[in-house]
Amino acid sequence: MSATQSRMYSLVKKFDLNLLIIFKIVYKYESVTKAANFLNVTLSAISQALQKLRVFFNDPLFIRENNKLRPTLLGGELYNEMEVMLSPLMEYITSASISETKPIFIIFCSHYYSWSIFQQLLSYIDENSKNYKIKHISQYNMISTDSDILSQQYADIVLDINKTSNPSYISEAVFNDHLIFICNKNHPRVNCPLNQETLGNEKYVFIENNSLEARKIKGHIEFHSGGLTYAFSTSSLMTLFSVIEHTHLLALVPSRVYERFKNAYNITARDFDGNFSLPNISLYMTFKKSSLKNKAFKEIAIIIDSLFKNTDWI
C-alpha cells in the first residue's frame, strides 16, 4: 500500500458511511422532518448526522431557502459523486444477496394503461398457478423520476412514458400510441376541428403527471397553441372521463385508451387539423439490471413485455 493510499484509508476509516445515506435522503426530500419520517428516526438523529458531515467537509452542505433545504455547491457535488460511486455499490450489495424467489412485485404504472395490463397479468398468474403477488402504485408526489422510484425501492418495475438513460437500468419500449383530443358528444363545437388558433378557446382536463416526458408533451402543445387553460386536474382516468362527459371541457388522451372506453362514456374524439403534429408516445418498461438475477422477477418482466407487445391486448 502506497503512502497516499495509506493516508486515504486512515481518513476514510474515521468516516461513518451511514451518514451519506442520511445526506442523500435529506437531499431528496429537502427537509430534515421528511427525511426523519422516511428513515423512521428522530429529528435529532438527522440533525446530528448533518452536523458531523458539516464538520467533516467544513461546509454547511444545505442552506434553508423558502422552507426548503437547498444544497450548497459542495453539497450538490457530493450528491452527484454519490450517485456515480455509492449507488453502484449499493446495487451490488443488493444483487449479491438477492434470492431465487420474490413473494411480491411492486409495479408503478400510469392509470392510462394499468386497467388492462394488470387484469391480464393476474389472469396469467392465476391460470399458471404462479405464487406471485402484485402491488400496483400509480404516483408518488415526493418522487419525480423513474430512477428515483427504482433507486428508493418504491417499485420493482416502472411502466411509464419516460425512457431512463441510467446505465444501471434496462429501459425498453413495450408499446406505442398516439394522442387525441376528446370531448362530450354534445359539445357545442364537437364538429369543429381543432387547430393551433382554436385550441386556446377551450378549457381542459389533464391527468396529473410530473414526468419529464409528460412535461415535454404539454410544453410542445402549449408552445404551438400559445397556451392552454386547465380547469381541472386529476390522478384518476375514470374521473377524467366522467368530467368530460358532463362538461364542455376537453382532454388529451392516448388513442387506445379512448377506443377502450368510448362506448362506456358519453365522449367522442375531436378532430385536430393544426399546422403541428400531436406527439406520439411510447410506454417503457424500466427496471434495475441486477433484478434479472432473480428468476421470478425475470419471468414477470418477460410476461409483461409479451402482454404489451400482443396487438390484441387492449
Side-chain angles (χ1 to χ4, degrees):
M1 181 182 294
S2 67
T4 300
Q5 290 175 324
S6 180
R7 285 194 299 272
M8 289 175 58
Y9 178 77
S10 177
L11 179 63
V12 171
K13 75 176 182 179
K14 299 176 183 178
F15 184 81
D16 183 0
L17 293 176
N18 289 312
L19 297 176
L20 295 180
I21 304 299
I22 294 175
F23 170 84
K24 182 175 182 178
I25 300 302
V26 172
Y27 186 100
K28 285 283 188 181
Y29 284 92
E30 302 178 315
S31 165
V32 170
T33 301
K34 291 175 181 177
N37 291 336
F38 178 85
L39 294 170
N40 195 27
V41 298
T42 64
L43 290 174
S44 176
I46 299 295
S47 297
Q48 290 177 24
L50 289 179
Q51 182 57 30
K52 290 178 181 178
L53 287 170
R54 287 168 178 146
V55 171
F56 185 87
F57 291 105
N58 192 29
D59 187 271
L61 298 179
F62 294 100
I63 297 173
R64 185 167 296 281
E65 186 177 275
N66 296 326
N67 295 321
K68 291 184 178 181
L69 293 179
R70 179 179 61 81
T72 63
L73 181 60
L74 179 62
E77 291 175 348
L78 176 60
Y79 178 82
N80 291 334
E81 289 297 320
M82 286 175 58
E83 285 296 279
V84 173
M85 294 182 285
L86 187 60
S87 292
L89 176 60
M90 294 175 66
E91 290 275 351
Y92 173 78
I93 293 173
T94 300
S95 64
S97 60
I98 202 165
S99 63
E100 290 295 306
T101 60
K102 185 174 173 62
I104 183 169
F105 294 91
I106 303 175
I107 301 176
F108 178 100
C109 182
S110 163
H111 287 290
Y112 281 134
Y113 298 111
S114 60
W115 55 269
S116 180
I117 191 62
F118 286 111
Q119 69 180 31
Q120 295 198 61
L121 178 59
L122 271 296
S123 292
Y124 177 92
I125 290 173
D126 183 56
E127 291 170 3
N128 292 274
S129 301
K130 300 292 184 179
N131 191 28
Y132 301 150
K133 295 180 181 179
I134 306 295
K135 179 179 179 180
H136 169 225
I137 59 175
S138 58
Q139 63 178 347
Y140 268 103
N141 293 330
M142 299 298 301
I143 306 299
S144 59
T145 69
D146 298 342
S147 293
D148 288 333
I149 294 169
L150 292 169
S151 65
Q152 296 300 320
Q153 300 184 19
Y154 286 112
D156 301 296
I157 295 174
V158 170
L159 296 169
D160 194 18
I161 59 176
N162 281 324
K163 181 176 182 179
T164 302
S165 57
N166 190 316
S168 298
Y169 302 116
I170 291 176
S171 188
E172 61 175 16
V174 292
F175 181 70
N176 297 306
D177 205 348
H178 65 277
L179 299 172
I180 60 171
F181 286 102
I182 63 169
C183 68
N184 186 318
K185 288 181 179 179
N186 302 317
H187 193 287
R189 293 173 294 281
V190 65
N191 295 319
C192 301
L194 291 164
N195 55 47
Q196 63 274 12
E197 284 80 26
T198 60
L199 281 174
N201 298 331
E202 305 288 353
K203 293 183 178 180
Y204 299 85
V205 178
F206 73 97
I207 287 282
E208 295 175 344
N209 190 327
N210 195 39
S211 70
L212 177 60
E213 191 60 30
R215 294 198 300 270
K216 285 182 178 179
I217 291 172
K218 190 176 178 182
H220 171 80
I221 296 173
E222 291 184 347
F223 173 80
H224 288 284
S225 66
L228 302 180
T229 300
Y230 299 100
F232 180 67
S233 65
T234 177
S235 60
S236 167
L237 184 62
M238 301 302 105
T239 300
L240 180 146
F241 284 134
S242 180
V243 169
I244 292 297
E245 74 169 349
H246 290 100
T247 68
H248 290 159
L249 302 178
L250 274 65
L252 189 67
V253 301
S255 63
R256 290 292 189 94
V257 178
Y258 164 72
E259 291 296 330
R260 172 62 178 79
F261 289 102
K262 66 181 181 181
N263 295 324
Y265 293 88
N266 185 41
I267 58 175
T268 186
R270 186 87 175 265
D271 289 338
F272 177 74
D273 188 25
N275 61 0
F276 69 96
S277 299
L278 295 178
N280 293 325
I281 59 173
S282 295
L283 190 72
Y284 292 90
M285 177 167 63
T286 303
F287 52 85
K288 298 177 182 178
K289 288 181 179 179
S290 58
S291 298
L292 290 176
K293 295 184 178 181
N294 183 296
K295 292 181 179 179
F297 178 93
K298 186 174 183 179
E299 181 177 21
I300 287 291
I302 291 173
I303 294 169
I304 293 175
D305 182 67
S306 64
L307 288 175
F308 268 109
K309 290 181 177 178
N310 177 0
T311 55
D312 299 324
W313 75 277
I314 197 169

